[in-house]
Amino acid sequence: MHEDLEKILFTREQIMQRIGELAGEISRDYEGRELILVTVLKGAVFFLTHLAQSLSIPVRLDFLSIASFSPGRTLPGVVRINKDLDHDIQHRDVMLVEDIVDTGLTLRYLLNVLSGRQPSSLVVCTFLDKAPRRLVDIPVKYRCFEIPDRFVVGFGLDYNQRYRTLPCVGILKSQIYQGK
Ligand code: IMP
């Protein structure tokens, strides 16, 4: 599958090192507290498992599954929740764990839904941040890496459900990726 990549942006070693650094920062910020990690299926699961194991604070895991509709195709930022959280997040410290923030429209919707459930705090932690594509201002508290405006796959990120299991993150060759 590596042959479908135009360029490797981050190797597995670089990813592991950066997740360790980020986990240290989060553990310090939440010392003495318990954190609910709310993860959006499926892409962010790879990031979540490594992040959660590296945290020194107690955490609980919960999952959301959504179907998002790309801007231009239907209503921008309209998201349907296919699987909701199993647990109540009221009065809890919540961190929304994402694979990538692109336009920010999906995240804006999710933050609106979750903040309506009155957690005591709610922050965003994303594996990748494609900041040049942002259409709405989203408060991203923690990020592993910023990336340029290119379509990337690997370490959970897919193209038509492929490439998720690549151990690195790379730019997909333009012959394969025909635009989203
Ligand atoms: P947003 O609403 O534009 O921020 O959309 C974010 C979602 O788009 C992510 O959760 C991914 O599913 C998808 N996405 C955006 N850019 C990429 C990419 O470069 N590779 C893989 N998926 C992407």
Side-chain angles (χ1 to χ4, degrees), residues 68 71 98-107 130 133 147 150-153 157-158 180:
S68 42
E98 260 286 19
D99 53 356
I100 186 165
V101 187
D102 185 21
T103 62
L105 291 166
T106 307
L107 211 49
K130 207 190 273 188
R133 291 250 310 162
I147 59 163
R150 299 296 306 277
F151 195 86
V152 299
V153 291
L157 288 121
D158 74 305
K180 210 183 170 205

Side-chain angles (χ1 to χ4, degrees), residues 18 20-30 141-143:
R18 180 67 192 120
E21 287 169 10
L22 199 65
E25 197 183 326
I26 294 169
S27 300
R28 280 191 295 280
D29 291 353
Y30 285 88
K141 179 95 192 268
Y142 303 101
R143 61 176 65 72

Side-chain angles (χ1 to χ4, degrees), residues 53-107:
Q53 285 182 340
S54 308
L55 290 171
S56 57
I57 50 162
V59 293
R60 291 178 190 231
L61 309 182
D62 212 336
F63 297 90
L64 274 174
S65 172
I66 59 167
S68 42
F69 305 92
S70 311
R73 279 207 224 141
T74 55
L75 293 171
V78 172
V79 177
R80 190 182 62 221
I81 295 182
N82 288 335
K83 183 224 166 284
D84 207 337
L85 299 178
D86 292 330
H87 303 285
D88 192 5
I89 57 167
Q90 193 180 22
H91 308 319
R92 312 304 299 256
D93 289 311
V94 176
M95 179 180 283
L96 187 54
V97 180
E98 260 286 19
D99 53 356
I100 186 165
V101 187
D102 185 21
T103 62
L105 291 166
T106 307
L107 211 49

